[in-house]
């Protein structure tokens, strides 16, 4: 079974009012933390979709073995459009693909490994049936996702696949926390351990 990962990092961080992809949490930026989470779990085919300040982000991450794909239309498109770029790139070289936005930095490598052990084509980590990230998507679903033009972004595309989701219960509360605002970022920093 070959696994890949798509990290969406193209947005302009308008609610954060800072370039959150490169905001430091301890010794690493948010972008570095997400990459490391996957690397520690043994995922090596990692795609990061960049857009806003792509040169700055890619330069900062140049020592990581990550494939960068640019969403040059980041100002006028949604996160789902960036997700499709990454999924399209990996559709023929991975059996299953993880997906996560860059601003969910603290999920554990162990959570990734638990998802890798689960059976199914649509797998969510969850706490009390509340699902989080990263999502694991089987490659048979990717053509349907790429063809989706309806409402609801990735959530709508996944629903259109008519796949029964699998929920993997974890104790990793970080799967539920994203940093869209400075308040959320500070909450994450205070609630989760890091180095």
């Amino acid at each position: 079974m070959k696994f890949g990962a798509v990290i969406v990092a193209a947005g302009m961080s308008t609610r954060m009012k800072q370039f959150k992809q490169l905001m430091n949490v301890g010794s690493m930026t948010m972008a570095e933390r997400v990459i490391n989470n996957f690397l520690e779990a043994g995922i090596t085919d990692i795609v990061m979709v960049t857009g806003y300040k792509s040169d700055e982000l890619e330069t900062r991450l140049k020592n990581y073995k990550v494939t960068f794909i640019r969403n040059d239309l980041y100002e006028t498109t949604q996160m789902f459009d960036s997700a499709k770029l990454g999924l399209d790139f990996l559709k023929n070289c991975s059996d299953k693909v993880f997906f996560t936005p860059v601003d969910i930095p603290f999920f554990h490598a162990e959570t990734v490994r638990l998802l890798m052990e689960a059976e199914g084509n649509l797998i969510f980590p969850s706490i009390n049936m509340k699902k989080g990230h990263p999502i694991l998507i089987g490659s048979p679903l990717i053509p349907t996702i790429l063809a989706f033009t309806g409402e609801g972004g990735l959530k709508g595309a996944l629903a259109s696949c008519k796949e029964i989701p699998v929920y993997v219960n974890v104790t990793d509360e970080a799967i539920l926390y994203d940093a869209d605002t400075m308040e959320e970022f500070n909450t994450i920093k205070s609630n989760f351990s890091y180095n």
Side-chain angles (χ1 to χ4, degrees), residues 42-135:
I43 308 296
T44 55
D45 287 341
I46 301 173
V47 171
M48 179 171 282
V49 183
T50 65
Y52 179 62
K53 294 190 176 182
S54 55
D55 286 338
E56 183 180 347
L57 181 58
E58 291 170 20
T59 297
R60 178 65 178 267
L61 302 174
K62 65 183 178 183
N63 292 327
Y64 290 90
K65 291 181 179 178
V66 172
T67 299
F68 296 105
I69 297 175
R70 292 193 180 186
N71 177 1
D72 293 323
L73 303 177
Y74 65 88
E75 290 186 83
T76 57
T77 56
Q78 304 298 316
M79 183 174 68
F80 179 47
D81 299 288
S82 294
K84 288 200 286 187
L85 291 173
L87 291 171
D88 187 52
F89 183 86
L90 288 175
K91 66 183 178 186
N92 294 322
C93 52
S94 297
D95 299 301
K96 292 183 178 181
V97 179
F98 284 96
F99 169 80
T100 191
V102 73
D103 60 2
I104 302 178
F106 286 131
F107 62 86
H108 301 158
E110 179 58 26
T111 294
V112 175
R113 287 189 283 266
L114 287 171
L115 297 176
M116 292 166 70
E117 293 169 2
E119 298 290 331
N121 280 319
L122 182 56
I123 303 170
F124 294 95
S126 70
I127 294 178
N128 298 324
M129 295 302 288
K130 187 173 183 181
K131 56 192 178 185
H133 285 86
I135 302 167

Side-chain angles (χ1 to χ4, degrees), residues 20-21 23 25 28-38 100-109 133 172 174-180 184-185 188-189 192-194:
K20 64 184 173 185
Q21 289 88 324
M23 288 174 67
V25 184
M28 285 185 273
T29 64
M30 277 205 274
E32 289 171 317
R33 285 194 178 280
V34 177
I35 292 169
N36 271 303
N37 295 339
F38 286 122
T100 191
V102 73
D103 60 2
I104 302 178
F106 286 131
F107 62 86
H108 301 158
H133 285 86
D172 179 8
I175 66 168
L176 304 175
Y177 286 84
D178 62 351
D180 280 330
E184 290 171 343
F185 177 70
I188 290 172
K189 284 179 67 175
F192 299 102
S193 60
Y194 53 87

